Amino acid sequence: MSAIDDLVAELSRLPTIGRKSALRLTYHLLKQPAEQSQRLALALTTLAEKVRPCARCFNLTEQELCAICADPRRDASLICVVEEASDIGAIERSDEYRGTYHVLGGRLAPLDGIGPDDLTVGPLVARVAAGGVREVILATNAKLEGEATALYVQQQLAPMGVAVSRIARGLPIGGDLEYADGVTIAQSISARRTL
Ligand code: ZN
């Protein structure tokens, strides 16, 4: 396999990039000074080496704990459960929420072979069991799989006596948290309902 085929194959694995875009990006890089490709390669290597899940909430970080878990001003008695680390950025931009998070690492999707053991529900239950948590807010998305995931997490937390709430459906139907605007997310959190 040639170096060009190699890169095209790797780029084609990325979401939203088909073979045609992969070819375009590859030929674009070849027209640039070699240093640009080398910087890109270094950035990718550094990303893979340094970024890891937070030991407490599974947010992405380069430290043991993420910036939110390590911040003493955050209210650790509140845990907002999201599907992906990228959802945290969206909620943070709303500038409304001062609690902490828990990243599930996806949603239940039996057809894709994603079951409870593929998500970080166990560590979430352990966090609640360790004490000091007064409310868990379920902020999985409003699509069918997000709802099923919220229900599953709620069932796992039910025996623990912690308050569990679900964000309001202020989000656009089927819209991912990541793409919702800050005001919508803020309203969605403040209008959450206790389950
Ligand atoms: Zn964290």
Side-chain angles (χ1 to χ4, degrees):
M1 206 185 215
S2 77
I4 290 177
D5 291 341
D6 227 7
L7 181 59
V8 169
E10 288 305 326
L11 289 172
S12 302
R13 289 178 207 266
L14 298 172
T16 78
I17 299 191
R19 196 181 148 70
K20 210 170 151 186
S21 302
L23 271 169
R24 199 182 308 135
L25 288 168
T26 301
Y27 283 105
H28 171 80
L29 285 169
L30 286 171
K31 275 192 258 173
Q32 308 303 311
E35 300 84 69
Q36 186 172 333
S37 293
Q38 284 154 359
R39 279 200 305 273
L40 177 62
L42 182 63
L44 288 171
T45 308
T46 310
L47 183 81
E49 280 172 0
K50 287 196 173 168
V51 180
R52 54 179 170 166
C54 169
R56 188 177 298 158
C57 77
F58 296 88
N59 185 14
L60 295 174
T61 179
E62 294 183 17
Q63 315 295 328
E64 172 78 3
L65 290 180
C66 72
I68 295 170
C69 285
D71 184 348
R73 292 164 300 181
R74 304 293 298 223
D75 182 356
S77 72
L78 269 178
I79 299 177
C80 181
V81 177
V82 294
E83 292 177 13
E84 304 290 350
S86 53
D87 295 330
I88 292 181
I91 296 177
E92 289 296 292
R93 279 195 299 278
S94 77
D95 218 15
E96 166 87 10
Y97 180 69
R98 300 305 298 159
T100 59
Y101 294 93
H102 192 89
V103 179
L104 290 174
R107 66 189 87 158
L108 294 178
L111 295 179
D112 298 327
I114 301 171
D117 292 343
D118 298 307
L119 307 179
T120 64
V121 180
L124 172 65
V125 171
R127 273 179 81 181
V128 174
V133 179
R134 67 185 158 91
E135 182 180 354
V136 175
I137 303 166
L138 302 174
T140 53
N141 80 52
K143 290 180 209 160
L144 196 61
E145 289 171 345
E147 291 292 355
T149 306
L151 182 65
Y152 177 78
V153 174
Q154 183 200 352
Q155 286 166 346
Q156 300 305 301
L157 294 173
M160 312 190 70
V162 67
V164 180
S165 61
R166 181 82 170 106
I167 55 167
R169 296 270 207 131
L171 297 174
I173 298 299
D176 276 320
L177 211 52
E178 200 181 339
Y179 303 111
D181 67 89
V183 175
T184 307
I185 290 179
Q187 286 168 349
S188 187
I189 293 173
S190 62
R192 65 186 184 269
R193 63 184 201 284
T194 306
L195 298 175

